[in-house]
Amino acid sequence: MSQAAGLAFKLGISLNLAYVIVEFAVGLASGSMGLLSDAGHNLSDVASMALALLACLISSRRSSPGYTYGYRKATVLVSFANSLLLLLAVAFILVESVEKLLHPEEVGGIGIMVTAAVGVAINGLTTWLFSRDKGSDLNIKATYMHMLADTLVSVGVIISGVAIWLTGWYVIDPLVGIAIALLILVSSWGVFKDSLRLVLDGTPEGVDTGQVKAAMASEDGVCDVHHIHIWAISTTENALTAHVVVKDMSCLQPVKEALKARLAAMGITHSTLEFEDLENSCGQDCC
């Protein structure tokens, strides 16, 4: 994890935790389901950022005989845990919002608008802090998407406050809560699928096994590639094992170096290759 990412996590946790406390207080005082639901989601984001930061710190520990790959898989597990936490938050917000929809209660529009405006500033700043490294790590990407969604949600809460202030229609508040839940669901579903794939050692998103195999097979001196497996060691590192059939075992070293360089260029930095000649090739994917 870069120093910039570490600083982003620390600032993001501090700013959002302070905002959650204020938002909960105003939400309880005004009876706003929109604010309370948004505060609950922001609290889950604080927990998400704390877990992601902890996972990044744990993953930097060296490997041991008991953990030969080290602790880098912690970033995958935390990413999956955070996605589940978001889905639970969606369920809670929907239940509470439907209850408010069936039994509307008076809420204060001005307090909602002021508090949400502060949220736009804080969430927008946190989103910007994570924008630089969002493409390098699934955990950072998840945090970035959460904070971007929160910024948009806070804008929605402001619109709710204005509408209530102008019309007096308190039913708008639970409707905004439902809209918030749906927005969170849409923004978090992709992270849930990607993290679940990594937990199950599936091929990481953005890596095409067929393209990798074709690229390896096109290398000079390579006749065939089979028994290929690609998985994620962490949210930033991919690994591969494969059987490679070569024309001439005497030229093994340059072929091996060329294959590893090609794989690294495709985002696979940890590769283990087993070489075979044409006479002794098992020639099947389940060998």
Side-chain angles (χ1 to χ4, degrees), residues 35 77 83 110-111 124 150 171 197 210 229 255 284:
L35 278 181
L77 296 176
S83 66
I110 299 297
D150 283 349
V171 71
R197 177 193 291 264
H229 300 281
V255 172
Q284 51 185 315

Side-chain angles (χ1 to χ4, degrees), residues 2 21 65 67 81 104 134 141 148 151 165-166 180 213 225 244 248 256 263:
S2 66
I21 295 173
Y67 294 88
K134 68 180 183 296
K141 178 183 178 182
L148 178 60
T151 303
W165 182 50
L166 293 176
I180 288 173
K213 183 176 180 179
V225 178
V244 181
D248 186 358
K256 179 180 178 180
L263 289 170

Side-chain angles (χ1 to χ4, degrees), residues 244-274:
V244 181
V245 182
V246 295
K247 299 176 182 178
D248 186 358
M249 293 293 283
S250 64
C251 299
L252 187 61
Q253 190 59 32
V255 172
K256 179 180 178 180
E257 292 176 357
L259 285 174
K260 284 183 173 288
R262 180 169 291 201
L263 289 170
M266 300 181 75
I268 301 172
T269 55
H270 186 99
S271 56
T272 303
L273 307 175
E274 181 175 332

Side-chain angles (χ1 to χ4, degrees), residues 131-211:
S131 62
R132 177 179 178 180
D133 295 316
K134 68 180 183 296
S136 62
D137 190 311
L138 184 60
N139 276 325
I140 295 177
K141 178 183 178 182
T143 304
Y144 170 82
M145 292 179 62
H146 293 172
M147 301 318 302
L148 178 60
D150 283 349
T151 303
L152 298 176
V153 164
S154 294
V155 172
V157 172
I158 292 176
I159 294 174
S160 169
V162 172
I164 291 173
W165 182 50
L166 293 176
T167 65
W169 296 347
Y170 301 116
V171 71
I172 293 174
D173 183 62
L175 290 176
V176 169
I178 292 174
I180 288 173
L182 295 178
L183 180 60
I184 297 170
L185 180 62
V186 170
S187 65
S188 61
W189 187 251
V191 177
F192 171 75
K193 290 195 301 181
D194 290 346
S195 58
L196 179 60
R197 177 193 291 264
L198 299 189
V199 167
L200 297 176
D201 284 336
T203 304
E205 184 70 22
V207 178
D208 188 308
T209 303
Q211 290 182 358

Side-chain angles (χ1 to χ4, degrees), residues 95-152:
V95 170
E96 292 297 317
S97 296
V98 170
E99 177 65 23
K100 282 266 188 174
L101 188 61
L102 296 175
H103 305 93
E105 297 179 6
E106 182 176 346
V107 296
I110 299 297
I112 293 174
M113 287 187 288
V114 173
T115 306
V118 175
V120 171
I122 292 177
N123 291 327
L125 175 60
T126 309
T127 301
W128 176 76
L129 289 173
F130 287 106
S131 62
R132 177 179 178 180
D133 295 316
K134 68 180 183 296
S136 62
D137 190 311
L138 184 60
N139 276 325
I140 295 177
K141 178 183 178 182
T143 304
Y144 170 82
M145 292 179 62
H146 293 172
M147 301 318 302
L148 178 60
D150 283 349
T151 303
L152 298 176

Side-chain angles (χ1 to χ4, degrees), residues 9 13 41-54 78-79 81-83 85-86 139 142-143 146:
F9 274 116
I13 291 171
H41 176 53
N42 280 323
L43 183 60
S44 74
D45 280 344
V46 173
S48 171
M49 284 188 282
L51 285 173
L53 177 60
L54 179 62
V78 165
S79 176
N82 283 336
S83 66
L85 187 63
L86 275 173
N139 276 325
T143 304
H146 293 172

